[in-house]
Amino acid sequence: MSASVGNGMRASALDSERYRELQHGVPTFSFLSAEQNAFVASEVARLTLKQKAGQMTQVAMDLLFKGDTYVLTTPAEYDMDKVQRILGDLEVGSILNHPSNNWVGPEQWYQYMQLIQNKAMATTGVPVLFGQDAIHGANYIDGATLYAQPLGVAASFNKSLTEELAAMTAYQLKAASIPWNFSPAMDVGRNPAWPRTWESFGEDVYLNLTMGEAMLRGYQGNDVTADDKVVACLKHFTGYGSPLSGRDRSPAYIPERQLREYYLPQYANAIDKGALSVMINSGEINGVPTHANRWLLTDVLRGELGFEGLAVSDWEDVRFLNYRYRIAENLKAAVKLSVDAGMDMSMTAAFTDFPVLLKELVEEGSIPMARIDRSVARIIALKVKAGLYEQHVWNPADFEKFGSEDHAALSLQSAEEAIVLLKNDGLQLPLKNGQTIFLTGPTADNMRSLNGGWTYSWQGENGDKFLGDYHTIKEALQTKFDGRVQYAEGVSFSREQNIAQALELAKKTDVIVVCLGESSYTEIEGNIDNLDLPSDQRDYYDQLVALGKPIVLVMAAGRPRIMTDLAAKAQSVLYLPYPGPRAGDALANILSGDTNPSGRLPLTYPRAANAIVAYDHKTVEIVKNGHNPLFGFGHGLSYSTFTYGDLQLSSPELTGSNSVTVSVTVTNEGDRAGKHSVLLFSKDEYASITPNMRRLRAFEKLELAPGASQRVTFTIDADDLSFIDIDHNRITEPGEFTLMVGDKKATLNYVAK
Ligand code: BGC
């Protein structure tokens, strides 16, 4: 097989004008000054081919330390021979991750980074770009404050909170001299079994777009060199969240129209707002691994979306073109495919053959030097933009707010707003004074189920060890309901349990709080055969129900594990989408009534594992055709009742490029203060492509005192009502649209003019 086979979603000749223009030579960057652009060009001219190949390489930090890769000595110590090999001989330009099985604070990171940067400056004279996955706080830096995972952040429907959380993460990373974060993930998760569902902002493209933009603002702000700013990395470009089977990195089949409707707008928006890097989708779409998809990586990303920044591969993905995807018969062919497609930097992880093979390909004339210069220029431009030539490290002593009370408060808020109250029959919650509680279940005394993966390790298995000072649900409830809580695990993820003894304890209490769900996982390790909850949890639950006591079901899980029968037998149901280390406290506050819940579902909670139909389904997908969720997208209860006045349109007609405003008055009819997210949906009544039942178009979160009212105004233009037509163009067709907020509706007529 030749290296050019399987190379793109559409055939576009390698030597086409467009390809040359997009791929070759040193560009100028609109995000740099003229002086900075001249500097980038001079750096590209100065570097040797070997150094350029090194710049395009990113290795795992483990390769610098004593011990075996992924099992380092503790404490981790640099192996100076390895440092010489990676930074001296191979002249690698980028490093990621953290030293395996070692977790250290900012002081130690400062030392680590100083050595790396000094070595790089002494050899190539180009600073290293160091990146990390800090997806819910700086989760590899000891002492950093973690918070809700992205699915929980999405459940908050709170844009300003999202931005603050991201800014906090950027500050923590800078305190450890790390200038680049592999976040936000904006993978619209359309298959809930996908084990990275919780890493995304849920199933809706607008929610992903909006939360992604808020995070981007928090990470990068206006000056990415600032102490509380880092370079963001949009991931995973694109279509990663919808593998057909629900298993990670398994084939996705996405027609181009769908791709443009659900998987490009969030990137287009973030690129427009200044995102400086993207990471490439590790999966395959329509039989083409994205790392070899020149149409997507060059024609679309560069040509259409106008992306000027850096496109980094995902973990080991260039090699995977050879032995996982089998579209390249050897590693050299894999390198050529990915570089031809438009990748700038290869995350080679533990391997170092990429720069060697790349250099050979250029020497053999298989890849033009001008193509390499293009990518190297992008990499240098990013290093310039991040201020790394001027400042390589940041003194942790200057970061007083690291691990502060302010950060802890933000983490608690994220947890409180991530928790979704799904059912509360007979207003069982908040719990009544004096009620005794039997607390049980595998997620009740376990930090992993509250934090998920990317928590002091990739799979999050160290959550309990490193977050020991935080409270599990059990610890938090025992503190909050002093003397009123009896606990037995009942059924466990890992241990044999005495269920009979647990049931005996349960009999003596007034209410049963049963915490079910999942432990932590991510990526392929989190694949499941069945979205249903495991049978041991279900059986145990039924035995508890048989006691006839009121049940509060707490579902702590990174994806909507099916709980239809269970929810029917509970008086109250809460969903905890990995709300982070303060989730125990947050839940205690909600159960006691100290906090009024305000989370809303960022995805559809299915009724059955084979009934996976998202909220924005087609009109034919009514109940009999699949959409009959247990709890719908946007569902979420409060202890207050929020009511809406009629929708007021500034005009019943929208013409051409004008806009109209939609206002609604929201009233808190309850007797306690509460937060509430107002969600505006639209429906295109007739369209040339079968229209969606509803699409989220705008949202805003309010906080209202008891009895208080507030008017919310949204602005809508034709673009907000658009869709991708049969020819793959974004259009808005004239005609009638229904706008909806809760139970209120208004009709808007669009006239193209
Ligand atoms: C994941 C990415 C992550 C990268 C670096 C990969 O396995 O897919 O999301 O950024 O590793 O840790």
Side-chain angles (χ1 to χ4, degrees), residues 697-709:
R697 301 303 188 185
F699 61 88
E700 212 51 68
K701 193 159 193 172
L702 315 174
E703 185 162 12
L704 290 177
S709 296

Side-chain angles (χ1 to χ4, degrees), residues 280-591:
I280 300 167
N281 166 11
S282 190
E284 64 167 83
I285 304 174
N286 306 339
V288 182
T290 315
H291 284 76
N293 192 332
R294 196 170 71 238
W295 174 71
L296 209 45
L297 297 186
T298 296
D299 292 0
V300 175
L301 180 64
R302 305 290 178 184
E304 282 185 36
L305 306 191
F307 181 59
E308 296 180 70
L310 164 66
V312 63
S313 87
D314 201 344
W315 188 267
E316 222 183 302
D317 266 295
V318 174
R319 294 171 64 91
F320 288 153
L321 295 179
N322 169 235
Y323 51 79
R324 182 184 276 173
Y325 291 113
R326 301 185 76 80
I327 64 162
E329 66 184 6
N330 55 44
L331 294 177
K332 191 186 262 189
V335 171
K336 179 163 163 55
L337 272 177
S338 60
V339 173
D340 279 350
M343 180 205 66
D344 297 314
M345 181 186 278
S346 173
M347 187 189 286
T348 64
F351 298 92
T352 52
D353 40 19
F354 176 83
V356 179
L357 296 170
L358 180 59
K359 180 166 169 282
E360 280 173 22
L361 283 161
V362 178
E363 283 165 350
E364 290 160 10
S366 302
I367 296 181
M369 183 70 120
R371 166 67 192 86
I372 302 300
D373 286 350
R374 190 85 173 173
S375 286
V376 174
R378 290 181 186 132
I379 293 162
I380 303 285
L382 191 54
K383 293 182 179 187
V384 169
K385 182 72 178 171
L388 293 175
Y389 276 90
E390 280 85 46
Q391 187 171 1
H392 315 312
V393 284
W394 284 259
N395 188 348
D398 297 336
F399 291 77
E400 284 168 7
K401 282 189 291 175
F402 185 91
S404 63
E405 282 301 311
D406 286 357
H407 286 189
L410 213 50
S411 168
L412 178 63
Q413 187 187 346
S414 79
E416 289 178 339
E417 297 196 26
I419 294 175
V420 189
L421 177 62
L422 295 171
K423 179 178 177 184
N424 196 17
D425 277 5
L427 300 181
Q428 179 182 228
L429 296 180
L431 295 171
K432 312 290 171 290
N433 273 343
Q435 272 182 322
T436 56
I437 302 159
F438 176 60
L439 177 70
T440 189
T443 62
D445 191 22
N446 153 19
M447 291 309 284
R448 289 183 66 171
S449 301
L450 306 181
N451 286 282
W454 303 112
T455 302
Y456 290 102
S457 75
W458 178 46
Q459 293 296 320
E461 71 275 20
N462 291 315
D464 286 294
K465 182 169 157 200
F466 285 93
L467 297 170
D469 291 345
Y470 290 88
H471 305 138
T472 62
I473 293 174
K474 174 190 152 205
E475 291 159 353
L477 262 60
Q478 282 176 337
T479 306
K480 177 70 74 179
F481 304 102
D482 192 19
R484 287 159 54 194
V485 180
Q486 298 289 327
Y487 169 78
E489 193 176 21
V491 63
S492 164
F493 291 130
S494 52
R495 290 182 288 271
E496 275 295 306
Q497 290 293 323
N498 187 339
I499 288 182
Q501 195 184 32
L503 295 175
E504 281 311 308
L505 266 183
K507 281 182 194 159
K508 299 184 190 131
T509 54
D510 300 327
V511 184
I512 300 175
V513 177
V514 51
C515 303
L516 305 179
E518 300 185 319
S519 182
S520 68
Y521 56 83
T522 187
E523 301 185 38
I524 288 173
E525 275 69 1
N527 283 346
I528 46 173
D529 290 334
N530 190 348
L531 201 56
D532 284 339
L533 206 58
S535 57
D536 58 343
Q537 294 193 42
R538 303 168 60 84
D539 293 347
Y540 177 54
Y541 183 82
D542 281 343
Q543 293 181 63
L544 292 167
V545 169
L547 300 177
K549 311 256 177 188
I551 301 259
V552 178
L553 170 57
V554 175
M555 177 57 62
R559 56 199 147 191
R561 298 302 292 257
I562 304 298
M563 57 168 176
T564 306
D565 301 348
L566 291 76
K569 295 170 195 159
Q571 278 61 44
S572 306
V573 181
L574 298 113
Y575 179 47
L576 274 58
Y578 294 144
R582 305 298 305 273
D585 301 324
L587 182 67
N589 288 346
I590 287 174
L591 295 184

Side-chain angles (χ1 to χ4, degrees), residues 211-283:
M211 291 312 214
E213 181 184 328
M215 281 219 152
L216 175 69
R217 259 198 315 276
Y219 291 144
Q220 289 194 180
N222 296 326
D223 175 12
V224 81
T225 68
D227 277 359
D228 66 344
K229 293 293 166 256
V230 291
V231 174
C233 187
L234 315 176
K235 67 189 194 184
H236 304 79
F237 186 80
T238 188
Y240 183 38
S242 299
L244 183 65
S245 72
R247 285 157 201 265
D248 189 41
R249 291 172 165 92
S250 64
Y253 299 92
I254 308 175
E256 185 175 337
R257 219 187 57 72
Q258 295 291 99
L259 194 91
R260 292 182 179 283
E261 187 70 61
Y262 295 108
Y263 304 97
L264 284 179
Q266 62 276 52
Y267 289 95
N269 178 64
I271 287 167
D272 202 41
K273 300 287 183 316
L276 292 165
S277 74
V278 304
M279 187 182 293
I280 300 167
N281 166 11
S282 190

Side-chain angles (χ1 to χ4, degrees), residues 553-729:
L553 170 57
V554 175
M555 177 57 62
R559 56 199 147 191
R561 298 302 292 257
I562 304 298
M563 57 168 176
T564 306
D565 301 348
L566 291 76
K569 295 170 195 159
Q571 278 61 44
S572 306
V573 181
L574 298 113
Y575 179 47
L576 274 58
Y578 294 144
R582 305 298 305 273
D585 301 324
L587 182 67
N589 288 346
I590 287 174
L591 295 184
S592 68
D594 291 347
T595 295
N596 198 349
S598 66
R600 301 185 68 162
L601 283 178
L603 40 67
T604 300
Y605 210 111
R607 189 173 291 274
N610 266 2
I612 307 299
V613 179
Y615 88 94
D616 52 352
H617 58 87
K618 296 306 180 81
T619 49
V620 293
E621 290 175 297
I622 47 172
V623 175
K624 275 193 179 159
N625 265 349
H627 189 70
N628 183 21
L630 180 61
F631 300 107
F633 174 87
H635 177 69
L637 303 173
S638 160
Y639 296 149
S640 300
T641 303
F642 293 93
T643 56
Y644 302 124
D646 288 338
L647 298 191
Q648 309 282 336
L649 299 186
S650 57
S651 161
E653 195 164 279
L654 172 65
T655 48
S657 57
N658 295 330
S659 56
V660 294
T661 61
V662 189
S663 324
V664 60
T665 300
V666 186
T667 304
N668 180 356
E669 308 272 3
D671 56 6
R672 59 176 78 215
K675 294 177 183 171
H676 179 72
S677 304
V678 185
L679 275 47
L680 174 72
F681 295 91
S682 75
K683 179 181 181 197
D684 194 345
E685 290 298 332
Y686 294 92
S688 58
I689 294 288
T690 53
N692 305 92
M693 277 300 279
R694 286 189 303 159
R695 291 292 296 268
L696 181 66
R697 301 303 188 185
F699 61 88
E700 212 51 68
K701 193 159 193 172
L702 315 174
E703 185 162 12
L704 290 177
S709 296
Q710 192 176 326
R711 198 173 166 83
V712 186
T713 301
F714 301 109
T715 304
I716 293 284
D717 62 21
D719 202 39
D720 294 319
L721 304 173
S722 65
F723 66 93
I724 305 295
D725 74 2
I726 196 82
D727 297 320
H728 303 152
N729 296 315

